[in-house]
Each structure stands twice: as C-alpha cells, then as structure tokens.
Amino acid sequence: MQLLVNIDHVATLRNARGEGYPDPIEAAEICEQAGAAGIVFHLRGDRRHIRDEDVYRLKKSVKGILDFEMAASDEMITICNEVQPELCTLVPEGREELTTEGGLNMKTVFEDYKNRVFPAFKGTNTKLSLFLDPNPVDIEIAHTLGADAIELHTGTFANASNSDLQKKELERLIMGAELIHTAGMTVNAGHGLNLDNLPVLIREVPHLQDISIGHALVSKSIYWGLEKTVKEYIKILTDKK
Ligand code: PXP
C-alpha cells in the first residue's frame, strides 16, 4: 500500500491569483521527498486547475509513479500518449461538477472504450486504471477490456452521514476489492479520503495498492506544512503493513 498525492488543488490556489505560486511541481517534489510513492494530477477539459505546461513539467520532475487522471477524450489521449506516464486513470468528467462525482458506467462506455480508447494505448508502457464504484458488473466489464487496475471510488464511503451507511459502503468496497484482485487487476482507491476515514478504510478493505489523496491532504498542509502532512498519511499506511 502506498500514497499517491493529488496536487490539483495546489494549482487551484495558484490560479486564484494568476501568480506562479504555489507551484504544483514544487509541491510534488516536497511530497516525494517526504516519502510519497507518486503524484496524481487531473488535467480537465476546462483546465480549471492543472494546465498543460504543468503536465510536461511534472513528467520531467516526478521520480516515482506519475498518474495522469483524465476523461477519455481524444484530446487527453493525445496528451497522455505524448507524456507517457506510468499510470493513466480514466474518469467520467462533467462540466458543472465540483469534483469527480462517481465511477464510470462501464455498460455505457464499453463499445467506445473497446474500439477507440483501449486501442489508443496499445504499444505504450502506460498502465490503464478505471475509476469505478464497487459494482460487480462494472468490474467485470473492466476486466473484459483488459484494464490493468481499478481505482475504487471511496467518495460514498467518505461522505456517509452515519455509521450504518458507512458500514454498508465498506462492505461493497470489500466485495469490489476481492473481485478486482481475483480477476488479476491491481486494486487502487481514492476520493474523499482524510486522516479520519483512511485508517477505517485500510483496516477493512483488502488488497489495496495505490491510495490517491488530494483535497484533504492539501488543505491540512496549510496548517501543518506539506512535508509533515504527507508523513502523517504515510504513517497511517505503513502502520497497517
Ligand atoms: N481519485 C480520483 C479518480 C479523483 O477524481 C480524485 C479527485 O480529483 C481523487 C482520487 C482525489 O480525491 P480527493 O481530492 O477527494 O482526495
């Protein structure tokens, strides 16, 4: 199990004033120096946080895993294949959404992914991960397509308003993780994770590999600094091992 830090919201803060700081690439360097196994960024169609030049600078500077999160548009696939990150996580993207709102609906995207998206990555070294809710049908379709990994959407678990709902969603995540693992795909997870819910998730859900955390981590770093915050998250992950 390892931490990948999503640095989108360092760019959000930078863009709020149109200055060059804080610089997401410098933040990524601090995260890696503090022990993060890699960096995630989401290049959105509207470029609301990460911009194209950030992507090329990250490619040059990140030493660990670089996870390019994106919608499977032709534009993004072209950029991703130029950058050749180790991992590409495909997500649904809605124009009005504040953040990614749920996993891909694999029944809806199957034909397009089979005929256009997966072939576009053939021959590259980029592993493909699909962001999914813990739903057996979606997981099975992802396996049929030949996905290398599934990132389980933990947002519903993270936002559960009471312990019954949280428990119910944890059971779904456990079931999803078992199915993904049995199918031979890597189990990743992310969305809405923080210092309080992360210990619960990793205690219960098996086979977890890359844990992607952004908003809560970057927010906490305003109080604690990025180095200390990253180290606290890593401590939670390594204490479990
Ligand atoms: N994983 C995916 C697929 C996401 O879309 C996001 C949000 O950008 C994250 C992980 C990180 O979520 P958060 O910012 O809530 O930690």
Side-chain angles (χ1 to χ4, degrees):
M1 207 168 7
Q2 55 189 11
L3 175 69
L4 304 192
V5 179
N6 177 316
I7 42 88
D8 292 348
H9 295 301
V10 178
T12 303
L13 191 55
R14 173 195 63 190
N15 298 352
R17 275 294 178 91
E19 303 285 351
Y21 64 87
D23 180 14
I25 288 73
E26 209 176 322
E29 280 169 16
I30 295 168
C31 292
E32 286 203 286
Q33 277 161 19
I39 300 298
V40 190
F41 64 88
H42 183 174
L43 184 67
R44 283 184 165 267
D46 63 11
R47 309 299 198 270
R48 68 174 72 158
H49 34 58
I50 293 294
R51 298 170 178 155
D52 297 48
E53 63 266 29
D54 298 325
V55 175
Y56 294 97
R57 289 178 62 220
L58 284 165
K59 169 66 182 175
K60 272 198 195 147
S61 98
V62 170
K63 298 187 176 57
I65 296 166
L66 186 63
D67 180 3
F68 190 149
E69 185 188 320
M70 59 182 232
S73 64
D74 286 338
E75 180 196 24
M76 287 303 150
I77 292 173
T78 302
I79 298 172
C80 189
N81 281 339
E82 253 176 59
V83 172
Q84 301 223 6
E86 181 163 348
L87 188 63
C88 171
T89 301
L90 297 172
V91 299
E93 194 174 290
R95 198 173 282 276
E96 304 296 334
E97 68 189 6
L98 290 177
T99 180
T100 315
E101 285 172 351
L104 291 159
N105 181 332
M106 293 311 297
K107 271 193 199 155
T108 312
V109 301
F110 176 69
E111 286 297 325
D112 183 37
Y113 273 39
K114 184 168 94 149
N115 298 320
R116 180 183 64 91
V117 180
F118 273 65
F121 286 89
K122 229 180 163 177
T124 70
N125 292 322
T126 301
K127 293 202 171 89
L128 281 182
S129 175
L130 304 183
F131 185 55
L132 300 184
D133 292 302
N135 165 345
V137 174
D138 287 325
I139 293 169
E140 194 186 323
I141 297 174
H143 181 49
T144 307
L145 281 167
D148 298 291
I150 304 292
E151 181 177 328
L152 282 171
H153 174 227
T154 52
T156 308
F157 155 78
N159 293 329
S161 52
N162 63 55
S163 57
D164 282 351
L165 286 177
Q166 191 191 59
K167 193 161 166 264
K168 211 167 134 212
E169 190 57 17
L170 263 180
E171 279 162 14
R172 280 176 18 101
L173 289 166
I174 293 166
M175 173 273 302
E178 293 289 9
L179 286 177
I180 297 163
H181 179 72
T182 305
M185 298 179 285
T186 303
V187 188
N188 297 334
H191 213 279
L193 297 175
N194 58 38
L195 291 168
D196 295 326
N197 60 29
L198 183 61
V200 181
L201 181 87
I202 64 172
R203 190 177 63 225
E204 302 291 338
V205 180
H207 313 302
L208 292 171
Q209 174 67 18
D210 294 345
I211 312 289
S212 165
I213 307 182
H215 189 260
L217 188 155
V218 170
S219 301
K220 184 62 94 178
S221 77
I222 290 173
Y223 307 135
W224 285 0
L226 205 42
E227 184 184 346
K228 176 176 171 199
T229 310
V230 168
K231 284 184 172 162
E232 284 295 321
Y233 275 92
I234 291 173
K235 190 166 174 301
I236 292 174
L237 298 182
T238 47
D239 280 356
K240 161 74 169 52
K241 272 183 193 160

